[in-house]
Amino acid sequence: IFVCSYPKSGTTWLQHIVGSLVSKALGGSGEPDGHVSSRTPFFEIDPHWSGPGVLAPKLVDGHRKIGRRMFNTHLRWEMMPKHARAKYIYVCRDGRD
């Protein structure tokens, strides 16, 4: 699951909602453990990767615990990895609010 957004548009809020829904759907309490950034880390941050296409071990363990891979990103659609099984949630916000 990719939570995609423009910076400062409610990304963290939606990451928490998605994490809670995934936890509940997988038989959990709906109260995910740990900080929201550990459940849905930034996709484009180098320390989250051990090498090309290989996630860092701490993220692999976290995703295994959750039962689903979730990421947060500010990348444009054209820059996103595409996969038939991937789910994308795009956050839009009117900046005037």
Side-chain angles (χ1 to χ4, degrees):
I1 300 172
F2 287 94
V3 176
C4 315
S5 68
Y6 189 79
K8 303 294 182 191
S9 63
T11 313
T12 303
W13 175 69
L14 192 59
Q15 284 175 263
H16 183 73
I17 292 171
V18 170
S20 296
L21 290 171
V22 167
S23 172
K24 190 76 166 175
L26 296 174
S29 67
E31 297 288 332
D33 296 333
H35 190 271
V36 68
S37 295
S38 65
R39 292 187 305 275
T40 51
F42 266 103
F43 181 76
E44 60 266 27
I45 302 294
D46 284 343
H48 295 159
W49 298 93
S50 294
V54 180
L55 278 173
K58 68 178 183 174
L59 294 182
V60 172
D61 292 340
H63 286 157
R64 188 175 298 122
K65 182 179 173 185
I66 296 169
R68 184 160 309 236
R69 291 176 23 156
M70 297 185 292
F71 293 100
N72 164 33
T73 186
H74 295 314
L75 294 175
R76 294 189 322 258
W77 177 252
E78 299 83 30
M79 300 170 74
M80 291 290 299
K82 310 295 189 298
H83 192 280
R85 292 182 10 202
K87 306 295 182 205
Y88 303 89
I89 300 170
Y90 185 77
V91 181
C92 295
R93 178 178 173 189
D94 186 338
R96 296 175 290 183
D97 61 357

